Each structure stands twice: as structure tokens, then as C-alpha cells.
Amino acid sequence: MPRASGPLAEALAHRAVLLDGGLSNQLAAQGCDLSGGLWSGRVLAEHPDQVGAAHTAYVRAGAEVLITASYQVGYEAFAAHGHDHAETTTLLRRSVRLAARTAEAADHEVWVAASVGPYGAVLADGSEYRGRYGLSVRALAAFHRPRIEALLAAGPDVLAVETIPDTDEAEALLTVLAETGAPAWLSYTVAAGRTRAGQALDEAFALAAASPEVIAVGVNCCDPANVLPALETAAAVTTKPLLAYPNDGSVWNATTRTWHTPEDPVPWPTRAWHAAGARLIGGCCRIGPDRIAALGALPGTFGRSDRGE
């Protein structure tokens, strides 16, 4: 069957759509080695079949959007590990093709979202949770432009501009999106009611509200407790569909490359997120297929009536 019957933006106007979960944790669960600075990009380069298997696990769990394995793929970082420009371009396009192949084999419609991770992700030092890299908006746009162009050449349904910690980087990305005209969602990572760089969320979401290319805006890779306040702030400045795909509340330690998990699981008030306007809902780091399947089974959020079945 066709991987999707129409643009994702059209679906979001009518119903909630279920995202997948964390790709890196699923690859780790499959026994993949994610050590080193390339993270899931290493698996994309060395064992692409494992990336396809991870996508398949999420489709079987009911995911309707697959986010590609391109989050940490950047030309400079991959050059430092021996990949030339052409090889990195091939990897970016491969990430889209792997997700598309899985989507086309699914028994329900599935959209492919090409992941555009932040500048900090390719540094592999945790700075995607801090922002303020010391780069100008122009320099950040120059960094992201070739990655976005390579991903778009492979034909994704939408760009997943995700885990953005900083309004300067958001401005740079929106500039590149305006050049391409490609549909995208924009998702910030947040803490304590502000961006990770400490900026006001209403101003951050307002940037996306003014962009015709952005089909949805919200938060990801954050503590679930931060989601609802952020969505409420977003809803006050934009009428665009909102999105939420937090992690499990764990905190990443870039020095030790380990997650620190909270003693008590953080509840997910998913119905409240939906009521606040979230129409793309799923999980990020440490959220696996079982959690996505349970999320999709929630009555009144991703039920049969939502899917038009």
C-alpha cells in the first residue's frame, strides 16, 4: 500500500497521529553498538539492516510516523570519522530510504519524517541540552542547509526538526525551511518552562507560528512533567497542531554517556496533552515499542474513531 494517503498536515487537521519512540534505545535493545561520537549514525553506516528492523518494531507497535536515523549525521562530524562529503550524503539519503521501505511494507499508513537534529547533537557532548553554541544564526543556517538538502532529495514526507534547545538555532532552521518550502515540524527541548538555553517559550513558539512551512510545533526529549505547561504556552501563541514526544524523565550525562533514571516513573497525562492541542504524540529516548503500543491503545486519543476505521 502507499506509505501515506496524503500529506501529514491534512491528517493532523482531523485526528491525532502516533509517532514512534526512541531509535537509539531500540537499536541498543537489538544488540547494536552505539559507542563513539556517531551514536545511531554508526549503526546507519555499518548495519543499516538493524535500522530497518528498529523501524519495523515501531510500525508493528502501531506507529504512524517513522523518524529517520539522521539525527546525528553531520558532514563535519562524519568527516572526522573518515566519511567524505559524498559518503555522508549517501548516509543521509539512506536514512530516508530505510524508513520509506518499512513504511511501504506496513499494513497501515505511515509517514516518513527525516530527522534534523540540532548542531549540538553532532558534537556528541550533550550541548543539544544547553544551546548557545557561540555560533551566529548565519553560521547555524550554513551548517543545517546541506543536511536538509540531502534529506529532501531522498523524498521524506516531512522534516522532523527536533530537540532544538535555542531560539537562535530555530531561527536559522526556519530560514533554511523558507528557502526550501518543505513541510516540517519544529520541536524544542525544554526544562523549567523555558528552552534549554533559558529563553521564554512563548517567544520560541511564536517563531514557529509565523512560518508557513511548519505544520506542527511542540516539545520532545524532555521530562514528561514539562510537556503540558509547554503545550499550554504554545497554544496561546499559535493555532498550529502541537506535538509531544518526551523521554522517560531520565537525564543524559554526556561525560559518562549514561542516563540517570528517576526513581519514580513520571506519569504521562496523555489525554491532557491531547486536550491542549497535541496531534503528534509519541516518545523519544528510552521509550520503546511497548510504550508506543500502549500509548496507541489509549481510548479517545488514538482510538478507532480517531483513525477513521
Side-chain angles (χ1 to χ4, degrees):
M1 65 177 291
R3 71 190 194 206
S5 59
L8 179 59
E10 292 182 3
L12 297 180
H14 301 288
R15 65 178 181 89
V17 173
L18 183 64
L19 293 168
D20 60 7
L23 184 62
S24 60
N25 50 266
Q26 179 58 24
L27 290 172
Q30 293 169 194
C32 298
D33 184 357
L34 278 70
S35 62
L38 301 184
W39 203 242
S40 57
R42 175 181 176 181
V43 184
L44 175 66
E46 298 176 359
H47 301 288
D49 57 318
Q50 290 288 350
V51 175
H55 288 322
T56 297
Y58 282 115
V59 165
R60 289 175 176 166
E64 299 174 278
V65 179
L66 293 175
I67 302 174
T68 65
S70 50
Y71 176 80
Q72 287 185 299
V73 181
Y75 287 98
E76 295 85 350
F78 272 62
H81 287 80
H83 297 271
D84 64 23
H85 191 278
E87 290 171 336
T88 302
T89 297
T90 295
L91 290 176
L92 288 164
R93 295 177 179 177
R94 175 188 291 173
S95 72
V96 176
R97 289 196 299 269
L98 288 168
R101 189 179 306 156
T102 304
E104 289 159 4
D107 62 0
H108 58 275
E109 65 177 348
V110 176
W111 289 268
V112 173
S115 176
V116 181
Y119 176 79
V122 303
L123 300 179
D125 63 358
S127 59
E128 68 262 47
Y129 299 116
R130 298 189 299 270
R132 293 303 186 191
Y133 314 116
L135 298 179
S136 67
V137 170
R138 174 180 285 188
L140 287 167
F143 167 79
H144 284 293
R145 187 175 288 110
R147 303 169 72 212
I148 288 174
E149 290 173 349
L151 290 167
L152 288 175
D157 298 299
V158 65
L159 296 173
V161 178
E162 57 182 352
T163 326
I164 305 305
D166 192 317
T167 55
D168 286 351
E169 187 162 23
E171 183 180 346
L173 284 156
L174 292 170
T175 297
V176 179
L177 291 178
E179 295 168 0
T180 67
W185 75 64
L186 176 62
S187 184
Y188 291 97
T189 180
V190 301
R194 304 182 75 83
T195 69
R196 294 288 184 132
Q199 298 134 336
L201 283 185
D202 57 347
E203 297 175 8
F205 292 130
L207 287 174
S211 170
E213 289 75 32
V214 173
I215 66 168
V217 63
V219 296
N220 78 291
C221 208
C222 60
D223 190 306
N226 289 313
V227 171
L228 185 57
L231 294 179
E232 292 172 342
T233 298
V237 297
T238 181
T239 59
K240 293 182 186 289
L242 306 183
L243 62 92
Y245 53 115
N247 56 39
D248 67 347
S250 298
V251 176
W252 174 248
N253 185 317
T255 302
T256 62
R257 298 185 63 80
T258 56
W259 287 98
H260 296 280
T261 306
E263 293 183 6
D264 298 316
V266 180
W268 284 36
T270 310
R271 291 184 182 87
W273 300 348
H274 185 262
R279 294 298 177 267
L280 278 168
I281 305 175
C284 200
C285 299
R286 300 172 65 82
I287 302 299
D290 56 340
R291 292 285 300 274
I292 296 302
L295 185 62
L298 285 174
T301 303
F302 301 102
R304 296 178 65 87
S305 60
D306 269 341
R307 299 188 184 202
E309 298 175 356

